[in-house]
Amino acid sequence: MKQLIGHKLVNEALSYIKEDDDRTLSELLELCEIPAPSHHEQERAQYVKAKFDEIGLEDVRIDDVGNVFGKMSGTGDGPTIMLAAHTDIVFPFGTELKVRREGNIYYCPGINDDTRSVVELFTIARAMIASGLKPKGNIVFCANVCEEGLGDLKGVKYIFNKPNNIDAFVSIDNPVPGGIVYTATGSLRYEIVFRGCGGHSFADFGIPNPIHAMGRAINTISQFEVPLMPKTTFNVGIIEGGTSINTIPERCSMLVDIRSDSSEALEMLKCSLNDAVQEAVDGENSRWDSNQSVSAEIILKGNRPAGVQPADSPIVKTAWDAAELVGLVPELRDESSTDSNIPISLGIPAITVGRGGREGGVHTAGEWFEPVEAYLAPQKTLLLILGLAGLESCLEPIIVKRGENRG
Ligand SMILES: [Zn+2]
């Protein structure tokens, strides 16, 4: 990797990214005002497609689910590296997406996660084209949909569920510029709906109550014991339902998220959750001497597979070296479930790395970005993909090319 730093064109590309910092910031401020809840990224996809065209990437296209691609062909028989960032944000339509500036700090929901990363794709691609850098392998730039929440990694699942020739995958989606996520935390997300016949709180008193049943389930869930290692977690995130204060409800529901780095631990937690719901229903029904009953339906809303990849695998080492070479502090992070879960679970080398600048308030209305040495992260990501793809008369690809058209 050190050889890269001595290469004339690489240095030109790194300088280009630094000088391109202002333009990258203005693109960020434009893009973050375009709404893009998961499953509704069309407008952002059009913006990205126009940029990819303007930059001069090859084969620019939007696929059936809204992922945008632009390619840079390699010079030799090298591997294909996909560099991705997600276009969706967690904020629903109607959220005020207007940038507010205070000093050097820019406020806007979604400004970092993952909008900042999408514009880093632009500056990296521009720098490579402007400097005439030709990697050995192909680089496919991708702005994918549906990473967040109930988007359930739909965009990246769609890419890897079809025959493809991707040999390694890098997602930019971490708040720490030198951050490297190399594990794939698995998660299961459920909507659990409790139903009953409902009635008047006074006149019909004595029939099972769906909200009471759900309360019993939450009481049990809140007392689950989970291992610290592998990290395993549970959360009831949203509850809703009911009609009025004096109505025995007909329906209520909750959203539950369970996560683990181990698929076995996740499986055990899933069984505990099923048991908790069943016991809650049984408990509520047997509480009353009634011919009415409540029932529960468990609906799977999200499934992100867990997977393991050694911390000393070549892709992780390359990301580490790339961060150090530009003066960032590399940091292995294991807290995330990201787009890389899908390739990692399929045995394809993949990591999620940090975006640039300082940030805070991610996933809140007060999300902010401060452009402090924001160019360092895209500089690092450029070195990373060059390391993985190789560079003519400089560096052999670190990623081994595999067979074509794997399904
Ligand atoms: Zn993200």
Side-chain angles (χ1 to χ4, degrees), residues 77-81 137 165-169 314-315 318 347-349 387-390 396-404 406:
D77 194 31
T80 294
I81 313 297
N165 59 358
I166 302 163
D167 298 298
F169 177 88
I315 192 169
T318 308
I348 297 169
L388 301 178
E396 283 304 309
I398 284 159
I399 293 296
V400 182
K401 183 182 164 77
R402 310 197 298 177
E404 292 285 334
R406 293 178 320 275

Side-chain angles (χ1 to χ4, degrees), residues 379-406:
Q379 286 182 334
K380 163 219 63 189
T381 305
L382 171 68
L383 294 181
L384 166 60
I385 58 170
L386 287 175
L388 301 178
L391 183 63
E392 213 56 64
S393 69
C394 179
L395 188 69
E396 283 304 309
I398 284 159
I399 293 296
V400 182
K401 183 182 164 77
R402 310 197 298 177
E404 292 285 334
N405 291 327
R406 293 178 320 275

Side-chain angles (χ1 to χ4, degrees), residues 86 113-114 147-148 173:
H86 64 87
D113 185 9
D114 199 22
E147 190 275 342
E148 295 288 2
D173 191 10

